Amino acid sequence: MDQASDFVVATRTALAQLTALAVQYSFSVIGALILLVLGWLVAGLLSRWVYNGLSRISGIDATLSQFFSNIVRYAALILVVVMVLGQFGVQTASILAALGAIGLAVGLALQGTLQNIAAGIMLLVLRPFRVGESIETGSVTGTIVDVGLFATELKTAEGVYRLAPNSTLWNVPITNYSRLASRRHEITISIGADENVDVTESKLVNLAAADKRVLKSPAPTAFISDFDAGSAKITLRYWIGSKQWWEVSRDMTKAVKLAFGKEPEPEVPQSPEEVTV
């Protein structure tokens, strides 16, 4: 009889404790669910607010705006998860310490990748080149197809696809052939000592001025760039719109050849061969 009474008392005590725990953790579960829902909504709102705010800033690329908005969203979600765990009595300080250690380990493991991301952010902020522009660096030449956070896509003059890590484009000088509205071109020919320099210069200037694609300002000019005892070199200098540089420079070289019957002096390359700009 005593054993039966003890069993009943123990059962009642256990049920009371289970009921108390259920009541206690039911509130924790409900609070955690509310935190998750509110946190999800707030994270989305913050993400859209950051994206819209950055998109209104002139010079900020859409890729960069999306990147920062995602960072804000995930940071908010991580904070929400930590708060939810705190609802169940988990020590959040240890969680934050663990997250910091994990972040450090991932950062060390992905050092090269993070370097490309940092370079991509700087390229998107400073915009030394944009999609459709023709560039040249120490190791990369081509027309920009897309600028991403990790790498930049280019198309070479031969129609070849090239993917360049952003870190290789950030720490080197970049020549952008398309950024400015106009570019200069020069053609040099040699004349003999018996030929009239003034007539040659005038003919070259008139030849350039006759082409409507050649800019009137700065005006075309011709001058003696070098000479020796038996000959002189006359250089024609004129300006062209950047988008027409390749086409006009080739046409003018041909026109000089036909007008003077002379081979123009070899010129120093000023842009990637036949790059579309």
Side-chain angles (χ1 to χ4, degrees), residues 45-61:
L45 289 174
L46 287 175
S47 176
R48 287 192 293 271
W49 179 77
V50 171
Y51 181 82
N52 293 332
L54 291 177
S55 298
R56 295 190 186 98
I57 300 176
S58 177
I60 298 296
D61 192 88

Side-chain angles (χ1 to χ4, degrees), residues 13 23 32 37 48 50 56-57 63 66 77 90 92 110 116 171 175 246 259 265:
T13 303
V23 172
V37 173
R48 287 192 293 271
V50 171
R56 295 190 186 98
I57 300 176
T63 304
Q66 187 65 47
L77 290 177
V90 179
T92 57
L110 301 177
N116 285 327
N171 294 320
T175 301
W246 180 260
E265 295 288 331

